[in-house]
Amino acid sequence: VTVSVLYWRTQAVFDPAVHCVPPPGMAGFSASMALADLDYIAPSQACIKPEVVRAQRAQGAVGIHGVDAPEPEAIKITLQDCLACSGCVTTAETMLVTSQSRPQIETVFAGADETTPVPWSVVVSVSDQSAASLAAHVGVSMHEAFQLISGFARHVLRANYVTDTRWAQLLSVQQTTQEFLRRVNTGSGPLPLIASTCPGWVCYVEKTHPDLLPHVCTAMSPLAIAGRYIKQYVAANATRPPADVDPEGVTAGDLRARTYHISVQPCFDRKLEAARGDFAGEDYARDTDCVLGTQELLDWMLEVDATLPWRAPLDSAMEPLRPAVEAPSEATTLEGSGGYHQHIFAEVGRLVAGTAAPPEAIRYQTKRNANHRLATVDGITMPESGKPLICGVVYGFQHIQNLARGLKRRMASTPDYAFIEAMACPDGCLNGGAQIRCEDRTKHHERLRVVQAAFEEFTAQASAQAPLGAVAGPFTSASAYRDWIGADAASQEAAAALTTTLHDRKAEMALQDTVAASLKW
Ligand code: SF4
Ligand code: SF4
């Protein structure tokens, strides 16, 4: 059996200097991450699996980094070869991705979509990573980049509300930490606990290593939390029907279905995450209706007005994820993927030493390279055993592949991690595949440093001077706990509202095959 595949995130996983030529018919997508309604890996790009790449090169089918790249040609990869790593997308995934793009938003706004009604209210949420990428590209602070996106969203996307996602990020890291503490204190699940915020990692485990699923945290990602809260709480309390609609006949379901949530995110993986059946409601299709990549958003902005004139405040407070740091450290940059391991250290520190361990106290030991680090804090130990608390920071697909193998085989070379922050992109989410790319791809690393610097400056400001934005309104972690969940972060209610289900895709596929075979029979 063969499967035709389409290049997707390979560039972010391998060398950023990859020579990327978007095939024709890819309007609306960024040049670097262009997708088409065709099924193939473009010849200048590479499947993540080295043996496949070597074999294809030997046949003259693909070139790497633009060297000896032949004319475009469809490439077939056997299912046995494919790691199901989501380094590229198949036809079904392509359809999911194209259903979340600018043309889809325009279709819905024009009232021409058969399944999504014209919105009464539009909410745009903006990730930190996207704001950092835009800030680096335009040459402004991240704070101003948020305002630029907010202005564009209000003028062009008809947004009623524009919010950052730090409040949802806070809920996600807190629930991840709560699950870690439950496992440590009650043995309710195995360690190490592996963060589940990266949909690329989750997809890989579900398809390829389902036996590791008990290790994967069930806390929802910031995107999933933001979408659920917007559809379930914000819609009920802030969406109003237009003047020509009798409010008497409007149901809560109508308000949810007529609230349209667009999220600006650093990778296409988030589009696939938003399309998961777990993040939908009974009376609406998706918690997040459309995910736009940062480059897609910039392309849209430039097309409307290349001077990027828009500025407007956010409807949210850009909450600090933690107290102020004395000085930016390695941990500050690594917070660009959400700050999960930093929170684990802070909370376990509070538990065993009576005080939260600050990020600057974290010591990093580089393993194979900077994308695989071992993190410890002097004096922070596991509550019961008294052994040092060891967190893994494992970024990039090749590293998470090695990690999964090491954990499955209980290899001695795999450290005794209690918690692992696993992310599919090398250098984490600030380097996501849908971020704005340099024209000159050899300057990618320089650009990434500028993105990281913008992020560090912003997090230092957000920690020290919070709130940077509006304090009223529903987009705060306090409002989500108090007004929506009705209980605090450590409660069972919060755990129930903010966890999701992970799926053993191998078993599901085997079941489908069995059913199909029995039907044929
Ligand atoms: S899913 Fe991964 S392993 Fe499979 S063809 Fe795509 S890039 Fe290669
Ligand atoms: S690591 Fe990459 S794929 Fe995973 S959530 Fe971050 S940007 Fe997306």
Side-chain angles (χ1 to χ4, degrees):
V1 181
T2 60
V3 56
S4 303
V5 289
L6 172 69
Y7 162 77
W8 179 22
R9 205 185 46 230
T10 315
Q11 176 196 4
V13 175
F14 275 128
D15 188 339
V18 166
H19 172 62
C20 177
V21 182
M26 292 185 171
F29 288 93
S30 66
S32 59
M33 296 302 298
L35 294 171
D37 54 356
L38 305 169
D39 261 4
Y40 68 98
I41 294 181
S44 57
Q45 296 143 2
C47 164
I48 184 73
K49 198 174 180 196
E51 309 89 86
V52 175
V53 176
R54 277 197 293 274
Q56 299 286 356
R57 287 197 79 199
Q59 294 162 15
V62 293
I64 298 179
H65 305 176
V67 179
D68 299 330
E71 286 303 304
E73 181 182 324
I75 292 172
K76 303 283 186 189
I77 292 173
T78 68
L79 282 179
Q80 282 91 338
D81 278 334
C82 176
L83 296 167
C85 69
S86 293
C88 62
V89 289
T90 58
T91 308
E93 288 165 328
T94 308
M95 285 168 63
L96 286 175
V97 170
T98 49
S99 73
Q100 294 198 41
S101 58
R102 175 183 169 181
Q104 175 63 14
I105 294 173
E106 291 172 332
T107 303
V108 169
F109 285 3
D113 188 86
E114 288 176 3
T115 53
T116 310
V118 175
W120 290 342
S121 176
V122 175
V123 182
V124 175
S125 63
V126 185
S127 66
D128 271 6
Q129 296 84 11
S130 296
S133 181
L134 189 65
H137 180 80
V138 179
V140 297
S141 69
M142 229 176 106
H143 194 177
E144 191 171 348
F146 269 123
Q147 294 185 329
L148 169 55
I149 297 172
S150 176
F152 176 79
R154 288 171 206 278
H155 281 89
V156 179
L157 303 181
R158 310 180 196 172
N160 302 72
Y161 299 97
V162 185
T163 170
D164 69 277
T165 53
R166 294 174 75 84
W167 52 275
Q169 180 75 57
L170 201 50
L171 266 66
S172 179
V173 291
Q174 286 172 345
Q175 291 310 307
T176 300
T177 307
Q178 288 301 321
E179 183 164 340
F180 178 75
L181 295 177
R182 275 196 300 277
R183 290 186 184 213
V184 169
N185 293 332
T186 68
S188 59
L191 295 176
L193 178 69
I194 310 176
S196 59
T197 187
C198 171
W201 156 248
V202 171
C203 178
Y204 171 64
V205 179
E206 286 183 331
K207 285 181 177 174
T208 313
H209 300 292
D211 39 339
L212 288 180
L213 284 175
H215 287 274
V216 181
C217 184
T218 56
M220 286 157 67
S221 73
L223 173 67
I225 291 173
R228 183 64 52 87
Y229 179 64
I230 286 166
K231 285 291 167 91
Q232 294 202 348
Y233 180 78
V234 178
N237 292 280
T239 296
R240 299 282 173 267
D244 58 347
V245 174
D246 176 9
E248 293 293 315
V250 173
T251 66
D254 293 333
L255 294 175
R256 286 192 281 268
R258 296 281 189 159
T259 302
Y260 195 77
H261 175 211
I262 300 169
S263 194
V264 185
Q265 294 288 331
C267 61
F268 279 15
D269 304 54
R270 292 276 182 222
K271 292 180 189 259
L272 301 185
E273 180 190 9
R276 285 170 74 99
D278 308 292
F279 303 135
E282 285 178 4
D283 38 29
Y284 60 89
R286 289 175 187 159
D287 289 332
T288 299
D289 296 279
C290 187
V291 170
L292 282 180
T294 319
Q295 178 75 57
E296 285 177 80
L297 178 75
L298 176 67
D299 290 344
W300 195 344
M301 285 175 163
L302 291 173
E303 192 183 308
V304 176
D305 189 336
T307 66
L308 306 179
W310 314 276
R311 297 291 184 277
L314 293 176
D315 295 295
S316 56
M318 295 179 251
E319 281 181 59
L321 294 177
R322 51 167 169 68
V325 292
E326 284 175 16
S329 65
E330 213 173 340
T332 321
T333 308
L334 288 171
E335 203 176 287
S337 295
Y340 288 83
H341 71 278
Q342 292 93 331
H343 260 258
I344 295 285
F345 278 121
E347 287 309 309
V348 175
R350 226 188 291 274
L351 210 65
V352 298
T355 175
E360 57 268 33
I362 302 174
R363 304 272 168 265
Y364 293 96
Q365 180 189 330
T366 300
K367 302 296 286 178
R368 287 176 70 103
N369 61 36
N371 276 301
H372 185 178
R373 298 179 225 210
L374 185 151
T376 53
V377 173
D378 290 344
I380 302 294
T381 56
M382 294 294 285
E384 288 298 317
S385 68
K387 288 183 183 170
L389 167 60
I390 304 175
C391 291
V393 181
V394 184
Y395 293 171
F397 188 71
Q398 287 173 327
H399 286 302
I400 61 176
Q401 272 181 302
N402 292 337
L403 171 76
R405 280 192 219 110
L407 288 174
K408 277 176 74 164
R409 295 178 193 160
R410 301 180 185 282
M411 286 159 69
S413 57
T414 304
D416 196 11
Y417 292 127
F419 178 81
I420 300 170
E421 187 176 297
M423 297 282 162
C425 293
D427 295 304
C429 295
L430 291 173
N431 188 33
Q435 295 282 65
I436 299 165
R437 297 289 163 190
C438 290
E439 296 282 313
D440 179 353
R441 293 183 182 282
T442 60
K443 300 234 168 79
H444 173 84
H445 287 294
E446 285 170 39
R447 167 61 65 84
L448 181 59
R449 296 287 93 82
V450 181
V451 174
Q452 289 169 334
F455 177 77
E456 280 172 19
E457 184 193 46
F458 176 74
T459 49
Q461 276 181 352
S463 301
Q465 301 164 14
L468 289 174
V471 286
F475 302 107
T476 66
S477 58
S479 170
Y481 281 125
R482 184 189 59 233
D483 304 326
W484 176 41
I485 296 169
D488 66 17
S491 64
Q492 286 185 343
E493 291 87 341
L498 300 174
T499 54
T500 186
T501 306
L502 301 164
H503 300 270
D504 180 342
R505 302 293 184 197
K506 268 189 177 173
E508 286 177 5
M509 281 188 269
L511 184 64
Q512 279 172 9
D513 287 348
T514 309
V515 171
S518 66
L519 285 176
K520 270 185 221 155
W521 185 81

